[in-house]
Amino acid sequence: MKFTIDARSGKARAGRIETAHGTFETPAFMPCGTKAAVKGLEPRDLRDAGIEILLCNTYHLALRPGEALVAEMGGLQKFMGWNGPILTDSGGYQVFSLAPLRKITDEGVTFQSHLDGATVKFTPERVVEIQEMLGSDILMPLDEPIPFPPDPKVARLALDRTHAWWKRSRAGRGALFGIVQGSIVPELRKESAEAIAAADPPGFALGGFSMGEPAAQMDEMVAYTASLLPDARPRYLMGVGMPRDIIAAVKAGVDMFDCILPTRMGRTAMAFTDEGLLRLRNAKFARDERPIDPSCPCACCRNHTRAYLRHCFSVDEMLGPRLVSLHNVQYYGRLMKELRTAILEDSLGKVTTWPKVP
Amino acid sequence: MKFTIDARSGKARAGRIETAHGTFETPAFMPCGTKAAVKGLEPRDLRDAGIEILLCNTYHLALRPGEALVAEMGGLQKFMGWNGPILTDSGGYQVFSLAPLRKITDEGVTFQSHLDGATVKFTPERVVEIQEMLGSDILMPLDEPIPFPPDPKVARLALDRTHAWWKRSRAGRGALFGIVQGSIVPELRKESAEAIAAADPPGFALGGFSMGEPAAQMDEMVAYTASLLPDARPRYLMGVGMPRDIIAAVKAGVDMFDCILPTRMGRTAMAFTDEGLLRLRNAKFARDERPIDPSCPCACCRNHTRAYLRHCFSVDEMLGPRLVSLHNVQYYGRLMKELRTAILEDSLGKVTTWPKVP
């Protein structure tokens, strides 16, 4: 993996990352193809939206269809028909969200499959092995996010474990990022950044954000954490977020993002626009002949009115979720392109002129 | 509406029908956009599959969003973003399938809405009025299908009512087809064809098929009914069917078809091929790296393997239903194109060389 910085604007960077499955420009947004499919969207739809890299989930794919099958089919990219780079998360977050079903020890995490109750064990070594079998371009180590608000004792234990696991995490072919944890505690973030950087990974993930902390606190701690990381490595803010969060983080020097919001909100009739979120189930759209956004080049905005989209949701037509997801992913794709252009032109300040951006 | 016959092969015809919203070639297959959306597919997907005309449903659209709203939005074509002709069925079939909730009199049909129980009345005059407000290019009159197997008394009453209703059915701008009923009773079919033809409608629908009768009996009665109809008018076999049914009917001189099967079966992982139906949930496809059909130009077959499609259905990804629907509609589109080419080349006999066609 090779990261090149093309331009800077303040702390923000515009760059490109080369992987075995192609190059993507940064700042980059990765839609979530959790189970090897971005919900309702084809690879060509994602390309049309300017998307260049996807995120998939190790936990879900290890359960179904299993990493061995994916490896046999030539890797995740070929399996899902995505001709481009893929990042996989370690499955740690999913395992921790199964709280009553899992047990964490220094060795790793033992849990019951949410599908059939079978006992599964994830260790730092095992999650890297799974991701290598999946053929990921960028891999994530096993980590233990700290719940918000952080309890000092819990935070201490979790951070120590994350760092101990990190020492056991080594990848072969793929680029294994390190994950910096530490919740909203500056001292812990600093300690974590140093512990992770000791192994000089090819990139750094900022983990443990969007856990319920207020937006301003998140912005501040993301900026602080980014400032602790080596300039020459890409920075990836995991699971974030709303457009405003992404804009703030790009300004702080973050390069990569993933979030389920564009597709999850698309499935519930919520459309992103620079004028705010449109709740398309609202009766006021019943006769609205405008597209979601007249300036948007997506197939939904080129061909469909708000009135029609509202109708699709009213009568439970699956075309509604697809079309609004299509638009939302395009919205995120355009946002990243605008941010990148602003960095190349060193005019990133202008991007604050979106007062209603969601 | 103008129907032109370009070529013949035996009793089969290749033609074209001009409407206010464009021309479509025959034999034509109309996917069902029951509630103003073909499930999971965009208008551009349908165009890519060679589809030129859609069917929508009067009953469903009269309930939601209501014909007044559709009229205000500029008609069904503009409302759903479909730049082409639309045929609407009268809603008679849906009303009759609500048996316990409806009452049929000579005046019309009174029923309880399946949504909120509200009493709704459909008369022959009213269903035409709704369809004109929807802006349909081809309209269907109210009729009363005869259940299979036919009871002589029930059949007599239903047929008399269908013919009495037909006399009250008159359209303005759109092309109102007549519907020939009569179940599997040749005398009733003959009587019905004469009663309907008396008003010289611009086209004829063959109703009351695919009601549970054996395929051979349907083929025979479709052929007999088609032979009773004026040569210069298009013939539309309502709600039929499987590819083999369509091939048989085209050979008997039928020009138009609609059926929910390509999308309904697509949603349940059943894919059409000339080698038979593929049940993609089957474990034997787990490692099958072939597309559904290597000769198919659809986006699903160009980019996705059977193994991936099976995975999508296994993990309930909505991309699975979309992709297989896309393929199935393409299959039907290609079938109609092949039949048309065979008629133009007067080689329709060759089409019987598909021993495994579903």
Side-chain angles (χ1 to χ4, degrees):
Chain A
M1 199 200 85
K2 190 182 161 200
F3 177 48
T4 312
I5 295 176
D6 298 328
R8 296 173 190 269
S9 182
K11 291 180 185 150
R13 307 102 69 80
R16 60 190 63 245
I17 294 178
E18 292 162 48
T19 77
H21 290 92
T23 298
F24 62 95
E25 293 184 339
T26 63
F29 179 76
M30 303 180 279
C32 295
T34 305
K35 303 175 187 174
V38 176
K39 298 202 182 306
L41 303 184
E42 297 174 46
R44 58 179 176 154
D45 299 323
L46 300 165
R47 284 273 172 221
D48 287 349
I51 299 302
E52 297 181 321
I53 173 169
L54 303 185
L55 175 141
C56 295
N57 184 271
T58 298
Y59 166 77
H60 285 285
L61 293 172
L63 296 186
R64 286 190 307 198
E67 66 278 11
L69 187 144
V70 173
E72 229 180 287
M73 296 296 105
L76 209 39
Q77 296 82 356
K78 194 175 168 206
F79 180 61
M80 66 187 286
W82 169 252
N83 182 23
I86 290 179
L87 178 151
T88 42
D89 62 12
S90 70
Y93 184 82
Q94 276 71 28
V95 170
F96 296 111
S97 65
L98 297 173
L101 298 174
R102 52 90 176 143
K103 199 181 147 199
I104 307 176
T105 67
D106 291 343
E107 172 61 15
V109 187
T110 307
F111 59 97
Q112 263 76 56
S113 156
H114 75 282
L115 297 172
D116 60 4
T119 299
V120 183
K121 193 169 180 182
F122 272 13
T123 63
E125 295 83 4
R126 178 88 185 101
V127 297
V128 170
E129 182 183 79
I130 296 170
Q131 292 174 80
E132 298 220 298
M133 286 189 73
L134 293 172
S136 311
D137 296 289
I138 301 179
L139 295 71
M140 293 291 139
L142 192 65
D143 66 333
E144 182 174 347
I146 300 163
F148 181 88
D151 171 273
K153 274 187 198 165
V154 172
R156 181 74 264 158
L157 273 172
L159 201 64
D160 287 345
R161 197 129 55 190
T162 292
H163 297 163
W165 286 351
W166 172 236
K167 286 185 185 153
R168 288 159 54 194
S169 308
R170 291 298 164 256
R173 199 175 48 79
L176 178 67
F177 279 27
I179 303 180
V180 176
Q181 289 286 350
S183 187
I184 50 155
V185 186
E187 298 71 35
L188 296 186
R189 285 285 171 187
K190 188 161 196 301
E191 176 191 335
S192 189
E194 285 164 7
I196 301 301
D200 190 24
F204 290 81
L206 291 74
F209 288 102
S210 217
M211 305 279 283
E213 72 280 16
Q217 200 167 20
M218 178 169 86
D219 292 350
E220 196 184 332
M221 192 54 51
V222 165
Y224 175 67
T225 307
S227 77
L228 301 169
L229 300 174
D231 179 75
R233 296 280 186 258
R235 301 162 186 161
Y236 157 38
L237 180 53
M238 299 173 81
V240 174
M242 287 295 276
R244 66 153 305 286
D245 304 326
I246 291 178
I247 295 170
V250 165
K251 288 181 178 177
V254 175
D255 309 293
M256 297 166 61
F257 303 87
D258 80 282
C259 194
I260 54 163
L261 284 175
T263 46
R264 176 169 290 179
M265 292 179 87
R267 292 199 303 286
T268 55
M270 309 266 270
F272 285 91
T273 82
D274 287 350
E275 300 301 309
L277 278 175
L278 301 187
R279 287 163 177 77
L280 289 165
R281 283 186 184 275
N282 196 306
K284 75 177 177 191
F285 296 118
R287 289 171 169 78
D288 192 331
E289 297 189 74
R290 290 172 294 176
I292 291 172
D293 176 354
S295 78
C296 177
C298 82
C300 174
C301 288
R302 281 202 318 271
N303 201 37
H304 295 293
T305 63
R306 298 173 182 185
Y308 180 65
L309 295 169
R310 177 179 189 270
H311 167 71
C312 285
F313 281 95
S314 296
V315 299
D316 278 330
E317 278 291 342
M318 61 191 278
L319 193 55
R322 169 173 159 81
L323 287 171
V324 183
S325 296
L326 207 58
H327 166 78
N328 285 349
V329 172
Q330 180 89 45
Y331 182 86
Y332 272 71
R334 285 170 86 200
L335 172 65
M336 304 320 288
K337 191 65 80 183
E338 287 175 55
L339 288 168
R340 190 169 201 278
T341 302
I343 299 167
L344 292 173
E345 296 172 350
D346 198 6
S347 63
L348 192 59
K350 279 192 205 159
V351 175
T352 54
T353 59
W354 297 340
K356 295 178 180 172
V357 70
Chain B
M1 200 201 83
K2 190 182 161 198
F3 177 49
T4 312
I5 295 175
D6 297 327
R8 295 172 191 270
S9 182
K11 287 178 186 154
R13 308 103 68 82
R16 58 191 65 244
I17 294 179
E18 293 163 47
T19 78
H21 290 92
T23 298
F24 62 96
E25 293 184 339
T26 64
F29 178 77
M30 304 180 280
C32 294
T34 305
K35 303 175 186 174
V38 177
K39 297 203 185 304
L41 303 184
E42 296 175 47
R44 57 180 177 154
D45 299 323
L46 300 165
R47 284 274 171 221
D48 287 349
I51 299 302
E52 297 182 321
I53 173 170
L54 302 185
L55 174 140
C56 294
N57 184 271
T58 298
Y59 165 77
H60 285 284
L61 292 172
L63 296 186
R64 287 188 307 195
E67 67 278 13
L69 188 146
V70 174
E72 231 179 284
M73 296 296 104
L76 208 40
Q77 297 83 356
K78 194 174 167 207
F79 180 61
M80 65 187 286
W82 169 251
N83 182 24
I86 290 178
L87 178 149
T88 42
D89 62 12
S90 70
Y93 185 81
Q94 277 72 26
V95 170
F96 296 112
S97 65
L98 297 173
L101 299 173
R102 52 90 176 144
K103 197 181 148 200
I104 307 175
T105 67
D106 290 344
E107 174 60 14
V109 187
T110 307
F111 59 96
Q112 264 77 54
S113 156
H114 74 282
L115 297 171
D116 61 4
T119 299
V120 182
K121 195 171 179 180
F122 272 13
T123 63
E125 295 83 2
R126 178 87 186 102
V127 297
V128 171
E129 183 182 77
I130 296 170
Q131 292 174 82
E132 299 221 297
M133 287 188 73
L134 292 173
S136 312
D137 296 289
I138 301 178
L139 294 71
M140 293 290 139
L142 192 65
D143 66 332
E144 182 174 346
I146 300 163
F148 180 87
D151 170 274
K153 273 188 196 165
V154 171
R156 180 76 263 157
L157 273 171
L159 201 64
D160 287 347
R161 198 129 53 190
T162 291
H163 297 162
W165 285 351
W166 171 238
K167 287 186 181 151
R168 287 159 54 194
S169 309
R170 290 299 163 257
R173 199 174 49 78
L176 177 68
F177 278 27
I179 302 179
V180 176
Q181 291 286 354
S183 186
I184 51 155
V185 186
E187 298 71 34
L188 296 186
R189 286 282 172 186
K190 188 162 197 299
E191 177 191 335
S192 188
E194 285 165 6
I196 300 301
D200 190 23
F204 290 82
L206 290 73
F209 287 101
S210 217
M211 306 278 283
E213 71 279 15
Q217 200 167 19
M218 178 169 86
D219 291 349
E220 194 185 333
M221 192 54 52
V222 164
Y224 175 67
T225 306
S227 77
L228 301 168
L229 300 173
D231 178 75
R233 297 280 185 259
R235 301 161 187 162
Y236 158 36
L237 180 54
M238 299 172 82
V240 175
M242 288 296 274
R244 65 154 305 286
D245 303 327
I246 291 178
I247 295 169
V250 164
K251 289 181 178 177
V254 175
D255 309 293
M256 298 165 62
F257 302 87
D258 79 282
C259 195
I260 53 163
L261 284 175
T263 47
R264 175 169 291 179
M265 292 179 87
R267 292 199 303 287
T268 55
M270 308 266 270
F272 285 92
T273 82
D274 288 351
E275 301 300 310
L277 277 175
L278 302 187
R279 288 164 178 78
L280 289 166
R281 283 185 184 275
N282 196 306
K284 76 177 175 190
F285 296 118
R287 288 169 170 79
D288 192 331
E289 297 190 74
R290 289 172 294 175
I292 292 172
D293 176 355
S295 77
C296 177
C298 82
C300 175
C301 288
R302 281 202 317 269
N303 202 37
H304 295 294
T305 61
R306 297 172 183 183
Y308 180 66
L309 296 168
R310 177 177 189 271
H311 167 72
C312 285
F313 281 95
S314 296
V315 298
D316 278 331
E317 279 292 341
M318 61 190 279
L319 193 55
R322 169 172 160 82
L323 286 172
V324 184
S325 296
L326 208 58
H327 166 78
N328 284 349
V329 171
Q330 180 90 44
Y331 182 87
Y332 272 72
R334 286 170 84 199
L335 173 65
M336 303 321 288
K337 191 66 77 183
E338 287 175 54
L339 288 167
R340 190 169 200 277
T341 302
I343 298 167
L344 292 173
E345 295 171 351
D346 198 5
S347 62
L348 192 58
K350 280 191 206 160
V351 175
T352 53
T353 58
W354 296 341
K356 294 177 181 174
V357 71

